[in-house]
Amino acid sequence: MQALKSLGQNFLTDRAIAARIVNSAGIAPGDQVWEIGPGQGILTRELLATGCSLTAFELDRRLEEPLRKEFGSAMELIRGDILRQNWPQLLAEYNTPIKLVANIPYQITSPLLGLLELHHQHFSRIVLMVQKEVAERICASPGCKQYSAMTLRLKRLFDTQILFEVSRSSFTPVPGVDSAVISLSPRAVPPIIKDTNKYLLLVRLGFANRRKTLRNNLSSLADKDKLEKLQLNTGIDLNRRGETLSEEEFIVLSDNL
């Protein structure tokens, strides 16, 4: 079946990679698992071999019949856009945390991560194939060009890790970007933040213009005198750029703002 560019389809063809992705998720028999975009079923077969309880979401109506024909009642197949599902209603049906394992269409990465951020408490493990550049942004450290607001938003909730890279030749059609598999697990030691909304706003503004200093980027939040007081109270030089600050420093600024 021909992949549709409009749906961002690049079908994984390497079974060894599919098995490695599933092994990375640590799935046990009976675990509740979601898969997004089962496509031609290469990852689905490996998931079902673990004995998990699988729910798969597939947008392409052409794939519904072959998926149902091969897997039948072994999994629940929901034909539709994962981004348009009623997540609160779906998640309310589960009394145990879910594991999400998927080779997602890369064009939905940002909105999907936003939904996972919003509903993070329902997931015990997330293993995703994403664009390598996105994987590096998610797992970046302060001071590098990949470090971003996305890094800090997800770091607040998850311990993040790049598990391994995947060659372009493992897909058909061959994509124009490199890929990597990442793991997101509930953070072992969550940070203590007085006001989460203020912190997230500060992070967003801190990276609003990467070439500007914190002092300039935060000018919409506080006037010059308040920013001077903030710098004095925290000992953090506001002439630095946001990309140089650690999570701890952003928290200190937020708590003192």
Side-chain angles (χ1 to χ4, degrees), residues 7-10 36-37 82 103-109 112 129:
L7 297 182
Q9 289 177 332
N10 295 95
I36 298 170
I82 185 63
N103 169 29
I104 61 172
Y106 293 170
Q107 64 193 34
I108 73 166
T109 303
L112 178 62
M129 179 102 73

Side-chain angles (χ1 to χ4, degrees), residues 22 38 47 53 58 77 80 82 92 100 104 108 132-134 144 162 213 216 223-224 234 237 249 251:
V22 172
L47 287 167
S53 177
E58 178 55 61
L77 178 62
I82 185 63
L100 171 59
I104 61 172
I108 73 166
K132 180 183 175 182
E133 179 184 343
V134 175
C144 66
I162 297 177
T213 65
N216 286 329
D223 60 29
K224 182 179 178 180
T234 62
D237 184 0
E249 288 176 308
I251 293 173

Side-chain angles (χ1 to χ4, degrees), residues 201-246:
L201 174 61
L202 185 70
V203 166
R204 179 172 64 81
L205 291 176
F207 288 91
N209 189 324
R210 296 181 69 95
R211 300 185 68 178
K212 289 186 176 181
T213 65
L214 278 170
R215 189 182 305 280
N216 286 329
N217 278 336
L218 300 182
S219 61
S220 62
L221 271 186
D223 60 29
K224 182 179 178 180
D225 290 340
K226 289 183 179 178
L227 289 176
E228 285 297 333
K229 185 176 180 181
L230 180 64
Q231 178 172 271
L232 182 63
N233 289 343
T234 62
I236 297 172
D237 184 0
L238 298 185
N239 290 317
R240 292 166 59 186
R241 293 177 178 174
E243 65 195 52
T244 70
L245 267 68
S246 66

Side-chain angles (χ1 to χ4, degrees), residues 141-155:
S141 299
C144 66
K145 65 179 182 178
Q146 292 87 358
Y147 189 61
S148 66
M150 175 192 287
T151 310
L152 288 163
R153 288 202 328 266
L154 293 174
K155 180 180 174 64

Side-chain angles (χ1 to χ4, degrees), residues 10 106 130-133 166-168 171 174-179:
N10 295 95
Y106 293 170
V130 297
Q131 187 175 339
K132 180 183 175 182
E133 179 184 343
V166 181
S167 167
R168 300 184 188 193
F171 302 88
V174 177
V177 296
D178 295 317
S179 301

Side-chain angles (χ1 to χ4, degrees), residues 8 21 44 49 71 78-79 84 96 126 162 168-169 183 222 227:
I21 292 171
T44 311
F71 300 112
I78 297 177
R79 221 287 298 167
R84 296 180 179 274
T96 57
I126 299 167
I162 297 177
R168 300 184 188 193
S169 63
S183 168
L227 289 176

